[in-house]
Amino acid sequence: MGEHAGQKRAATEMRSKDVIVLFDVDGTLTKPRNKVTQDMLETLALLREKVYVGMVGGSDLSKQLEQLGENVLDLFDYTFSENGLVGFKERELINETSMADFLGEEKLQKLINYILKYFSELTLPVKRGTFIEFRKGMLNVSPIGRNCSQAERDEYERYDLEHGIRKSMVEALKKEFAEMDLVYSIGGQISFDVFPRGWDKTYCLRFLDDFKTIHFFGDKTFAGGNDHEIYESERTVGHSVKTYEDTIRECKALFLDQ
């Protein structure tokens, strides 16, 4: 073992074993759908010398690799994709759960067919491709389509804030599929997630019972946002941020400038 590696391991062994800090990804660790910056990586490395560090995002692992780097499993002690339905402790897979198995194909297709029909009757400034992205633990639904450019993404976000496209669609789905007991969570700039109740980001907390204190940082902490449930959970100390720069400042103030 090299001298630097030995020093790094010694530093992490001295950290608190009772505290973990969990982070959302988009808007919290990075700009939405952008790559992580060097100052954030440096902050995470310093923080990990003090406490345990984890990440919980709604996207699948491949998108987290794009944003946070190919070594994402080495950046965190716990890495949770799709709200924790796919979970890693360091590099060890500790959970993998499927929404398809939970709902069954008949109910799943009924839901997807309704969404596609709704989109066919919706007129927007632009439409692109991949309107429904099927993930293990959820459907990610995007009225504009996930194949839009960054400029189109930014423009749609402004349009959606003015016209409430996602909000109206969520209300329609709640009414149509009340018997399925699904949750609809608006997050990011262009989409919302659909998943069984209890499969929000609080799902990951069941794998963190060894910690006395769980801090959570997220930007969509408002009611209906995809960070709301875990932010409000009795098991977490919630921190609401607007940008990744806010996250860096708060982490330094709470954990590093002491």
Side-chain angles (χ1 to χ4, degrees):
M1 180 187 297
E3 181 179 354
H4 177 71
Q7 290 173 344
K8 182 177 180 180
R9 174 167 292 183
T12 55
E13 287 176 352
M14 293 175 61
R15 62 185 169 166
S16 172
K17 292 180 171 59
D18 295 330
V19 179
I20 186 168
V21 183
L22 279 178
F23 297 96
D24 165 55
V25 182
D26 274 353
T28 304
L29 289 178
T30 71
K31 291 182 179 180
R33 295 304 304 140
N34 277 235
K35 293 185 182 296
V36 68
T37 58
Q38 186 60 36
D39 54 346
M40 176 57 79
L41 290 174
E42 292 171 358
T43 301
L44 290 173
L46 290 171
L47 186 62
R48 203 174 177 194
E49 295 179 5
K50 300 281 188 177
V51 295
Y52 282 72
V53 176
M55 175 270 285
V56 53
S59 296
D60 59 28
L61 184 61
S62 65
K63 288 187 174 60
Q64 293 167 346
L65 290 168
E66 290 175 12
Q67 286 184 259
L68 300 172
E70 292 295 323
N71 66 332
V72 64
L73 297 180
D74 299 319
L75 294 178
F76 303 95
D77 298 289
Y78 290 85
T79 302
F80 297 111
S81 303
E82 305 187 46
N83 291 351
L85 298 171
V86 178
F88 291 85
K89 182 178 181 181
E90 295 181 343
R91 287 188 162 272
E92 178 189 358
L93 181 67
I94 57 175
N95 185 64
E96 191 168 12
T97 306
S98 168
M99 180 176 172
D101 292 340
F102 181 83
L103 280 183
E105 191 61 32
E106 183 179 351
K107 288 183 178 180
L108 188 60
Q109 284 200 32
K110 184 179 178 183
L111 176 63
I112 290 172
N113 288 342
Y114 180 90
I115 292 170
L116 291 174
K117 182 179 179 182
Y118 189 103
F119 282 160
S120 73
E121 300 171 351
L122 189 64
T123 299
L124 299 173
V126 298
K127 283 186 179 180
R128 296 300 178 248
T130 311
F131 300 101
I132 301 176
E133 186 174 83
F134 184 81
R135 301 173 182 172
K136 285 185 181 297
M138 67 181 72
L139 298 180
N140 180 261
V141 180
S142 175
I144 185 178
R146 296 193 65 87
N147 293 348
C148 60
S149 68
Q150 187 61 51
E152 290 166 340
R153 177 185 287 264
D154 294 340
E155 178 58 31
Y156 174 79
E157 182 180 32
R158 291 188 288 269
Y159 185 87
D160 188 75
L161 286 171
E162 180 180 353
H163 297 281
I165 302 299
R166 289 182 289 177
K167 184 177 179 181
S168 296
M169 188 172 182
V170 163
E171 291 306 313
L173 285 163
K174 285 181 178 178
K175 183 177 180 180
E176 183 70 18
F177 296 100
E179 78 284 355
M180 287 193 189
D181 197 24
L182 299 171
V183 174
Y184 305 87
S185 182
I186 297 173
Q189 294 178 289
I190 63 169
S191 65
F192 62 91
D193 297 329
V194 184
F195 49 86
R197 187 170 301 281
W199 286 25
D200 53 63
K201 288 181 180 175
T202 60
Y203 188 95
C204 76
L205 299 179
R206 66 190 66 193
F207 306 106
L208 303 176
D209 287 341
D210 290 342
F211 296 97
K212 292 181 180 178
T213 304
I214 302 171
H215 291 268
F216 172 76
F217 285 78
D219 68 314
K220 296 293 190 297
T221 57
F222 51 84
N226 63 357
D227 297 322
H228 179 71
E229 291 84 1
I230 191 170
Y231 173 77
E232 292 286 343
S233 171
E234 293 181 355
R235 293 197 58 201
T236 67
V237 179
H239 306 272
S240 186
V241 298
K242 296 185 182 302
T243 66
Y244 80 91
E245 292 97 338
D246 288 346
T247 304
I248 291 175
R249 281 191 292 271
E250 287 205 33
C251 282
K252 285 182 177 179
L254 288 170
F255 304 106
L256 301 178
D257 295 340
Q258 299 178 11

